[in-house]
Amino acid sequence: MKIRSEIIGVGSHVPANIFTNFDLEKMMDTTDEWIQQRTGIVQRHWVDEATSTSDLAYEASLKAIANSGLLKTDIDMIIFATLSPDHEFPGTGCFLQAKLGIPEIAVLDIRQQCTGFLYALSIADKFILSGSHKNILIVGAEVHSKGLDKTPNGRNVAVLFGDGAGAVIVSAREMLNPSSDSRIISTHLFSDGSFAKELWLPAPGTALGADRINNKMLEQGLQYPQMNGKSVFVHATKRMAECLMTACKESKVDLNEIDLFLFHQANLRINSKVAEFLSISEDKVFNTIQNYGNTTAATIPIGMDDAIKAGVLKKGMLVASAAFGSGFTWASALWRF
Ligand code: UT7
């Protein structure tokens, strides 16, 4: 029997507290006008003090499992993508597993930042196609708000990021008709570590000397993300377009056949430029950044869930996803829903 990987359940969860750009104006040296013009962001959700990344992931996972029609005991692997873990170790997937109460299955934590969900999708696809696993829960979840520099030094980064979680269930199904079956058609993963310090969070880190973190590092703000925004912007536009073309070429799919583009959401202008460069009609690109900001590994599954709820993503559609972020890492996925 030939196997395919199908996304059979989707769910998402964002914390209740909304922070508009006007709220941020009161907290730091910024304006609604600057944020909207440069990024497209209108608001983001930020957690309260008590909520962690695995808490958000837990809510999204329950919804994805319910949406799939499976029982949580049917899940045989969890792949967790985050750059904002509950703790340094163990991986946040282990904390999620304990909350879900599904012991003795494989749990894998991955990084890959804004590209984390597409890397996870690719890994899940390969495990399913190998025949070793049947129902894999993928979660992308982030709590950025607890790790942002909200002083003037950090405003170029702090206004961009939001908290949230998105989850999908990828399951093994029999391949009946490769051209019409709902399935992951292809994934393409890339990285270039020579740009690692263009967007990074230095501390704590074993590369920093004996302490991993000390008061001097804290005073320097090394515990906050540092970004060369212009460099990230230029590379993101180029690489996202490039990896979409690779996906189409290698899967023998014409770009015009794609019904919907679910891109990572880092900046509305990045997505517009990618669409313009590839002559993709803007109404085929589903954007959510205005509501959530950049939720990194959670972005694409949150977008999937919102697109389904909005009636934009329907069963049988051919979908392309692309993402770019810290590493630099970038990736694309082609899938039929
Ligand atoms: O998922 C991957 C993660 N990140 C990205 O993909 C981000 C990619 N980069 C970007 O989206 C853009 O570079 C940003 C939105 C981050 C910045 O836009 P920009 O047009 O590249 O602005 P800039 O960094 O060149 O800053 C322009 C001005 C500066 O002032 P001066 O030097 O011109 O006087 C900044 O100090 O805007 C100022 N500025 C701000 N002003 C108000 C920077 N941040 C803010 C702010 N509010 N939050």
Side-chain angles (χ1 to χ4, degrees), residues 299-310:
T299 300
I300 291 178
I302 289 177
M304 268 186 209
D305 199 29
D306 276 15
I308 295 165
K309 286 174 182 155

Side-chain angles (χ1 to χ4, degrees), residues 272-289:
S272 295
K273 278 197 180 299
V274 173
E276 189 189 320
F277 183 66
L278 296 177
S279 303
I280 296 167
S281 141
E282 289 251 8
D283 59 9
K284 282 189 173 182
V285 181
F286 188 74
N287 288 312
T288 55
I289 192 169

Side-chain angles (χ1 to χ4, degrees), residues 30 34 38 114 155-156 199 229-230 232 264 266-267 294 324:
T30 192
W34 190 95
R38 305 270 174 156
C114 296
R155 65 178 181 168
N156 64 322
L199 174 50
K230 283 204 191 309
V232 177
H264 177 57
N267 189 320
N294 182 350
F324 180 91

